[in-house]
Amino acid sequence: MTLPPRVTDRAFARLAEIAEATGDTKALRVAVEGGGCSGFQYDIRLDDPAEDDVIFEKDGMKVLVDSVSLPFLSNAVIDFSEELIGARFVIENPNASSSCGCGISFSM
């Protein structure tokens, strides 16, 4: 069954921290593009909503996924991780058959 991705409370909270620190209330865009070392790569950046976006919203914070990327992110979890190697938004994607050490590139 195809389900939309889920955004964790931790990801929304980090987005709110970024907005508070920068004064910028742009949404977090999560997109899938061709390329990277494994065939596909995630493009995660702050952006404005577009017409074909699916918008996930909590407490005024928004996460955007465009209609082309949506099938690649079915049942995925969009999260924020803080580890010794750094803090970043991460995607836990059950559709990815393998991923690269960079955490941005994957194959299906």
Side-chain angles (χ1 to χ4, degrees):
M1 181 174 192
T2 302
L3 295 171
R6 183 174 65 83
V7 182
T8 66
D9 290 344
R10 190 168 43 197
F12 279 119
R14 180 59 183 145
L15 197 52
E17 289 172 8
I18 292 169
E20 190 176 317
T22 64
D24 190 348
T25 56
K26 286 193 177 204
L28 181 73
R29 175 170 301 283
V30 178
V32 175
E33 300 178 340
C37 36
S38 299
F40 294 100
Q41 64 186 7
Y42 298 114
D43 178 20
I44 302 173
R45 59 188 153 84
L46 296 177
D47 199 4
D48 294 313
E51 246 182 63
D52 71 335
D53 287 338
V54 175
I55 301 174
F56 303 90
E57 189 169 4
K58 181 176 183 180
D59 300 330
M61 296 294 105
K62 296 178 182 175
V63 174
L64 314 172
V65 178
D66 64 86
S67 60
V68 174
S69 299
L70 197 58
F72 294 102
L73 295 168
S74 173
N75 300 322
V77 177
I78 300 166
D79 197 5
F80 183 77
S81 173
E82 289 186 78
E83 300 172 359
L84 288 175
I85 57 169
R88 62 190 175 142
F89 288 98
V90 294
I91 314 293
E92 296 168 27
N93 191 340
N95 307 300
S97 58
S98 66
S99 60
C100 184
C102 64
I104 297 172
S105 183
F106 68 100
S107 62
M108 294 181 77

